[in-house]
Amino acid sequence: MYNLEKKVAMRDLSTDTIDQLVSIEGMITRVSELIPDLRIALFRCSVCHHVEEVRRDGYRVENPERCSNCQTPGSMVIDHNSGYFVDKQLVKMQEVPDQVPEGETPQCVTLFAHEELFDAVKPGDKVEVTGIYKAVPVKVNRNMSTVRDVFRTFVDVIHYRKQAEGRYCVEGEERDEVSEGERDDGQGHEVEADVRKEEEAMKELAKDPEIYAKLTASVAPSIW
């Protein structure tokens, strides 16, 4: 699901958009390593070794109060080496410079991608993200059930749409267009000519004794 009719700016995300389907644009600034996300937990009885499956309810896994086999209370212990896990990744996305009002600081949004969306984007990619804007409570202490009055927000990603050459394209679309171009003899000759021009330009640059300084100065010159 993507290509919503109405897009929302990052700085316009508010309490009115919580639990709503939203579409936002920005640039990926950071991606995390693989995070195992538990979906089905296995609890084992420490008395009779009976095993029970417990599906995650929202963002919590409820510990069974007693064993359904021997009825011993407080005997169920989670088996951390078993259960059903899926791939999860934390992604940070920031407003692109041309969308930031003058004098303002770029806004950032936290994204969570699951399963096949893991590693679908890299830092530096400009993307259109479709997902559900969510808010979850934060515990005051890990060992206590008390939560803070301020919630943590994030977007649960449903779809990534990358931007290529000034436009957004679905994954695979750009590859198909290249294949069509390769089948066209006329366009193929133009591509080869462009490649040769680039090679000649790079050889000329390589002769420049100050090429290293020029290359380093050209990397993100607008960032200080």
Side-chain angles (χ1 to χ4, degrees):
M1 185 181 295
Y2 63 95
N3 200 27
L4 298 187
E5 184 177 358
K6 184 179 179 181
K7 294 183 178 66
V8 181
M10 284 188 196
R11 56 187 65 244
D12 291 337
L13 292 173
S14 64
T15 54
D16 295 333
T17 51
I18 290 177
D19 275 343
Q20 301 291 320
L21 191 65
V22 297
S23 178
I24 56 178
E25 298 176 359
M27 183 174 63
I28 304 300
T29 57
R30 186 170 73 87
V31 296
S32 72
E33 298 295 330
L34 172 66
I35 303 173
D37 189 28
L38 180 64
R39 295 295 177 87
I40 301 176
L42 290 183
F43 287 87
R44 192 181 305 275
C45 179
S46 56
V47 177
C48 67
H49 303 293
H50 173 68
V51 176
E52 289 186 22
E53 288 188 357
V54 177
R55 290 185 175 273
R56 189 178 71 183
D57 182 16
Y59 298 97
R60 299 181 60 186
V61 176
E62 295 290 344
N63 194 329
E65 295 181 357
R66 61 178 64 241
C67 176
S68 60
N69 184 47
C70 65
Q71 302 301 319
T72 305
S75 63
M76 302 302 292
V77 180
I78 189 170
D79 187 349
H80 294 283
N81 296 323
S82 302
Y84 175 65
F85 294 86
V86 298
D87 295 343
K88 180 179 179 181
Q89 187 176 43
L90 185 148
V91 181
K92 291 284 188 179
M93 188 170 76
Q94 181 178 292
E95 284 181 305
V96 291
D98 56 353
Q99 294 180 351
V100 181
E102 188 176 351
E104 296 284 342
T105 303
Q107 298 290 314
C108 292
V109 172
T110 300
L111 314 175
F112 279 110
H114 302 269
E115 299 184 73
E116 71 274 1
L117 293 177
F118 174 77
D119 259 359
V121 294
K122 302 293 182 186
D125 288 345
K126 291 183 179 180
V127 296
E128 174 189 304
V129 176
T130 304
I132 301 173
Y133 189 55
K134 294 187 175 181
V136 293
V138 180
K139 287 188 176 182
V140 176
N141 190 308
R142 293 183 61 184
N143 300 322
M144 299 173 60
S145 59
T146 308
V147 297
R148 300 181 187 275
D149 56 349
V150 178
F151 283 40
R152 178 170 54 90
T153 59
F154 63 92
V155 174
D156 223 348
V157 181
I158 295 176
H159 184 269
Y160 286 122
R161 196 178 185 190
K162 295 183 181 180
Q163 186 181 28
E165 299 179 359
R167 64 184 184 85
Y168 288 97
C169 66
V170 183
E171 186 177 354
E173 179 182 306
E174 187 179 4
R175 191 184 304 113
D176 293 340
E177 291 184 357
V178 172
S179 299
E180 291 176 5
E182 289 174 350
R183 287 194 293 268
D184 186 346
D185 292 336
Q187 189 173 350
H189 289 310
E190 291 179 6
V191 171
E192 290 178 4
D194 290 340
V195 171
R196 284 196 296 270
K197 288 180 181 178
E198 288 182 4
E199 289 179 353
E200 293 172 2
M202 292 177 73
K203 288 177 181 178
E204 287 297 320
L205 286 172
K207 298 175 184 177
D208 191 339
E210 298 181 357
I211 182 62
Y212 184 80
K214 291 180 178 179
L215 285 174
T216 53
S218 68
V219 177
S222 61
I223 299 177
W224 295 81

